[in-house]
Amino acid sequence: MAETKHDWAEIARNPRFVELHRKKIVFLYGWWALSAGCYFLLLLGAGYTPGLFGVEVIGNINVGYLFALAQFVITFGIAIHYGRVADRDFDRLTKELVKQIG
């Protein structure tokens, strides 16, 4: 089986690859910043506003627990959103790039 040689430098300069890479970077860093911000708000809130985080909402469940559980909701929401965007945009751009190269 013959091995296919690719000019990776040429592929990296391809406008479709540049567009794909830019879209993924913007998407990933934007959502990373949001999730990291929420995470650090949890730490700062627990450390500097224990009174607020200790306010009971339902029974023994307080604001701190709800904020911590919101981290999981945010994570799953971002993962679902990424899957949809990847199916709609990233996969389409990748297929176009592979078709153009091959």
Side-chain angles (χ1 to χ4, degrees), residues 26-36 78 81:
V26 167
F27 182 90
L28 293 173
Y29 280 120
W31 285 103
W32 173 82
L34 174 79
S35 64
I78 290 173
H81 183 59

Side-chain angles (χ1 to χ4, degrees), residues 59-99:
N60 289 335
I61 300 174
N62 60 28
V63 173
Y65 284 133
L66 292 178
F67 205 97
L69 289 173
Q71 297 296 311
F72 291 102
V73 174
I74 290 169
T75 301
F76 290 129
I78 290 173
I80 291 168
H81 183 59
Y82 176 80
R84 290 181 181 158
V85 170
D87 284 344
R88 185 185 67 231
D89 294 335
F90 303 153
D91 290 350
R92 176 186 53 81
L93 289 169
T94 302
K95 287 176 186 175
E96 290 174 3
L97 179 63
V98 168
K99 189 186 299 184

Side-chain angles (χ1 to χ4, degrees), residues 6 23 26 36-37 40 42 56 58 65 79-80 84-85 100 102:
H6 294 291
K23 282 188 174 193
V26 167
F40 287 114
L42 173 64
E56 292 183 352
I58 302 169
Y65 284 133
I80 291 168
R84 290 181 181 158
V85 170
Q100 186 179 23

Side-chain angles (χ1 to χ4, degrees), residues 4-14 101:
T4 305
K5 299 287 184 183
H6 294 291
D7 183 5
W8 296 109
E10 182 65 31
I11 292 171
R13 288 188 299 268
N14 187 304
I101 292 169

